[in-house]
Amino acid sequence: MTDLVVRSDQVYTPDGPRPAAVRVHHGRITAVLDRSSTVDAARDVDLGDLALLPGLVDTHVHVNEPGRTEWEGFATATAAAAAGGVTTILDMPLNSLPPTVTAAALEVKRAAAGGQCVVDVGFWGGAIPGNLHDLAGLHEAGVFGFKCFLSPSGVDEFPPLDWPGLDAVLAALSTMDALLIVHAEDAAELDAAPAAGASYPDFLASRPESAEARAIDGLLTRAARHRARAHVLHLSSAASLTRIAEARAAGARVTAETCPHYLTLAAERIPDGATEFKCCPPIRGEDNRDRLWRGLADGVVDCVVSDHSPSTPELKRGGFGEAWGGVSSLQLGLPAVWTEARRRGHPLAAVVRWMASATADLAGLSRKGRIAPGHDADLVAFAPDEEFTVDAGTLRHRHPITPYAGARLRGVVHRTWLRGREIDGEPTGVLLSRERNV
């Protein structure tokens, strides 16, 4: 007997939405059938006109546990993910203590996560000055790739690479065919910029587009030289889209992501003192946002991820110069992006591609991000036309801080399944390692 069948008028398969019945056995999708197919199943769920999406894969999440669990932790972060239709997250290597820059530190992180996660969780390693000899061990231990900064990260224990250091890391990772994911803001450009003041325009001036452009250009040049795989994190500036497209056309093995806040928010609408909007690189202007959407639609930007980077309320106080730079949005990424995508004429299938299949591909998760036979039965029942007003106090992440508070969004997650089991708060998530055949 099949374990589960889920039926819907709108099943979002890799070929697009259609009425279908998804058959699940032992946590995997075994078939996508005609909607009315007769199946002998232990559970048969009919969603009616609710859309059935693959579980989203968010490859950019700062969980911060252990060491800074008061900022966020695995229990709260994964609960927020599940409520937002995200069934797999990859945890960033910094803000936790110790940072994930050695194989031993990875084991500390995995031990902290064990028994807490309601969705599946994987881990990035870190590349910092002095840990070049640790990269092979981390790779062998199953991290999905390596993160570095080209400017200060905000925490002293995760310093940035200089250009020679980046060259050395790319050379080392190219021998493993490992992915380097890069916070691309140039330190010298940031040092030359004016200091952040109290107003948002002052903060924006302190993180100029030139800092992203110079860092991305340097990264692309070096990645091409070493034939290394490189990924531009949280692209905020549309000025670098042409350079990324040119590098890719010339054969560079480069990808790029952006985030919901860069696609849905705009500098012109951020009030002074509203530090819940502060992130690095910053949210830029409306024209830039329009160009980012074009880059996403054209395929220059590959995927959309949250960059969920929470902190305590105390750290978000003060001016834009002092407050912690991070947006809390893990639970709201899908409705935020869908609201704006719909307004711009993009179909829900495109959002699914940007936030599920493309992110799964980035991480090499061959069984995630698609409703197709052989894939994990990570499924989301989603009402694309239902609207709600964001009440920060009801969100599942640890602290009720978000720039979306009070926003009217479209798209509501009704139910979420992980490997065919409906998520109910029990910690049944698996700690993932990189697939060795990828």
Side-chain angles (χ1 to χ4, degrees), residues 2 16-17 29 33 73 77 81 83 85 90 106 116 155 173 178 195 203 209 212 233 275 321 374 426:
T2 293
I29 298 168
L33 307 169
L90 296 193
L106 174 63
Q116 293 203 73
V155 291
L173 296 187
F203 171 64
E209 288 187 272
E212 276 192 272
L233 294 169
T275 57
E426 289 297 310

Side-chain angles (χ1 to χ4, degrees), residues 117-141:
C117 303
V118 300
V119 303
D120 288 354
V121 178
F123 304 95
W124 296 107
I128 63 172
N131 85 324
L132 194 64
H133 64 286
D134 293 301
L135 301 183
L138 276 165
H139 183 71
E140 183 62 26

Side-chain angles (χ1 to χ4, degrees), residues 238-255:
S240 290
L241 289 170
T242 299
R243 180 69 178 92
I244 293 169
E246 289 172 348
R248 188 178 295 169
R253 303 170 72 196
V254 61
T255 50

